[in-house]
Amino acid sequence: MSERNPFGGTITHLSPAEVRQGLADGTILLVDVREANEIQAERIPGATPFPLSKFDPSALPDPEGRRLVFSCRSGQRSQQAAAFAQKAGLPYEEHMKGGIIGWREAGFEVDRG
């Protein structure tokens, strides 16, 4: 269910379990907007890095029929990314609630180093 994004536009919160399933079945393109040093330390397998500090909506990867979902550390920057994308006229409003912290708390694997 979509709701008002505190950063502008609308936002749809997906659980880590929903995102994990979408990655497994190929229906989600997960875009990680954390910074390079954060991603280098740990990352969700299959996520595409796209740092918020250099965020250019026109350079977002083509989801090729998948749902583009933003993620970050805790769920704040991913909501900002969705707002930036929407302000640029793109239809992306989904993010992973809780970010990689929520992913780990759900017991899901991360790649380290």
Side-chain angles (χ1 to χ4, degrees):
M1 181 167 90
S2 295
E3 61 184 54
R4 183 167 150 56
N5 185 337
F7 300 101
T10 57
I11 193 73
T12 300
H13 305 284
L14 299 180
S15 71
E18 290 171 305
V19 172
R20 183 175 184 233
Q21 182 60 48
L23 287 169
D25 65 23
T27 59
I28 285 179
L29 171 64
L30 188 62
V31 175
D32 189 339
V33 298
R34 296 175 306 137
E35 298 307 310
N37 63 315
E38 295 174 282
I39 293 169
Q40 187 175 33
E42 67 176 355
R43 63 201 157 280
I44 295 170
T48 300
F50 202 86
L52 190 63
S53 65
K54 300 174 184 169
F55 195 84
D56 176 0
S58 68
L60 280 165
D62 181 352
E64 299 176 348
R66 296 171 287 176
R67 296 161 56 193
L68 190 146
V69 177
F70 295 107
S71 71
C72 63
R73 179 181 168 274
S74 65
Q76 294 300 308
R77 286 178 282 178
S78 56
Q79 291 184 74
Q80 288 179 311
F84 292 156
Q86 289 171 47
K87 285 177 188 169
L90 298 171
Y92 308 134
E93 66 178 54
E94 294 181 300
H95 89 117
M96 185 172 70
K97 189 173 185 173
I100 197 167
I101 293 172
W103 180 271
R104 281 194 323 265
E105 287 174 351
F108 302 146
E109 176 184 325
V110 295
D111 290 338
R112 297 186 188 276

